[in-house]
Amino acid sequence: MNGFDALFFLNSLLLGVGLAMDAFSVSLANGLNEPHMKKRKLCGIAGVFAGFQALMPMTGWFFVHTAAAYFDAFSVCIPWIALLLLGFLGGKMLFEGIRSHGEEEPSASALTLGVLLMQGVATSIDALSVGFTIAEYSVLSAAVCALLVAIVTFCICVCGLLLGRKFGTRLSGKASVLGGVILIAIGLEIFISSFF
C-alpha cells in the first residue's frame, strides 16, 4: 500500500486509540501517584509512551519483512513479559502505598526514567503484532501509520495523566495503592486476553 486515503487515516487513528488504552491506564496511575506533576514531566511521560507505541508496530513490520519465523516464536512471550513487568511495577507501588498508610502525607514513589521505560515496553509490547496487520504497507505508509498512532497515544496519555493528577490530589495516600492495583490489573488483562 502506497497511497494515503481517508480510510488509511481513519484506520490508523482507530488503531492508535486501541493501542493507547493500556498506556492511558498506566498514565492514569502515574498521575494518581504524583498529583503535583509538572507539565514538562507530564508531556515527557506521554512522549515516552507515544514513542514506544510508534516503535513497536514499526519493529513488527520490520520483522515481518525480514525474520517472520523468529517473530512467531517471540510473540508467545509477549503476554508473559507484559504480566511480569506490570506486575512488578504495580506490586512495588502497592507495597509502597500500604507501607506509607500510617503517614500523614505519604511520599509518592518517584517515577524514574528506568521505571517509565519499563512501563513503556510493558504497555506497547503487544503492539509488535500490529506489524503483521500493516505488513502490506510500504515503509512510508507504515511510518505514517506509526506516527499517527504516536500522536493519538500522546493525546490520550496526557488526558490520563491530567485525570490522575486531579483525582490523585483528592485520594492522597490511597493513590499509590490504587495506581498499583491498576498496573497489576492491566498486566493480568493483557495476559488473560492473549488466550482468547
Side-chain angles (χ1 to χ4, degrees):
M1 177 180 176
N2 292 309
F4 303 110
D5 57 12
L7 187 60
F8 168 82
F9 286 104
L10 179 63
N11 286 342
S12 298
L13 293 173
L14 291 175
L15 186 62
V17 171
L19 290 175
M21 288 302 103
D22 290 337
F24 169 79
S25 300
V26 174
S27 296
L28 188 65
N30 287 338
L32 282 168
N33 197 42
E34 198 174 331
H36 303 294
M37 184 184 298
K38 296 196 179 344
K39 287 181 183 174
R40 184 174 174 178
K41 184 173 183 179
L42 189 141
C43 289
I45 292 168
V48 167
F49 285 126
F52 274 106
Q53 291 291 9
L55 177 66
M56 292 298 184
M58 284 306 294
T59 303
W61 181 92
F62 175 76
F63 278 133
V64 167
H65 290 275
T66 57
Y70 298 111
F71 183 73
D72 281 342
F74 176 72
S75 66
V76 176
C77 302
I78 289 173
W80 291 94
I81 294 169
L83 177 67
L84 290 173
L85 287 175
L86 289 172
F88 170 75
L89 295 170
K92 186 170 177 281
M93 280 178 72
L94 196 58
F95 175 75
E96 289 172 0
I98 291 169
R99 189 180 65 186
S100 64
H101 181 63
E103 297 175 12
E104 281 207 13
E105 188 161 333
S107 58
S109 59
L111 180 63
T112 63
L113 180 60
V115 169
L116 180 59
L117 292 176
M118 283 175 64
Q119 288 179 349
V121 170
T123 57
S124 65
I125 197 164
D126 58 336
L128 273 171
S129 59
V130 171
F132 285 119
T133 66
I134 63 171
E136 77 278 3
Y137 286 10
S138 68
V139 67
L140 177 62
S141 296
V144 170
C145 177
L147 178 64
L148 291 170
V149 166
I151 291 168
V152 169
T153 300
F154 181 85
C155 295
I156 287 175
C157 288
V158 166
C159 291
L161 286 159
L162 290 172
L163 277 171
R165 244 180 23 170
K166 180 174 181 162
F167 290 107
T169 307
R170 293 180 185 171
L171 291 171
S172 187
K174 299 174 188 74
S176 185
V177 173
L178 182 59
V181 169
I182 289 172
L183 291 184
I184 292 168
I186 295 166
L188 286 170
E189 182 272 326
I190 292 170
F191 180 73
I192 292 168
S193 65
S194 70
F195 295 104
F196 300 102

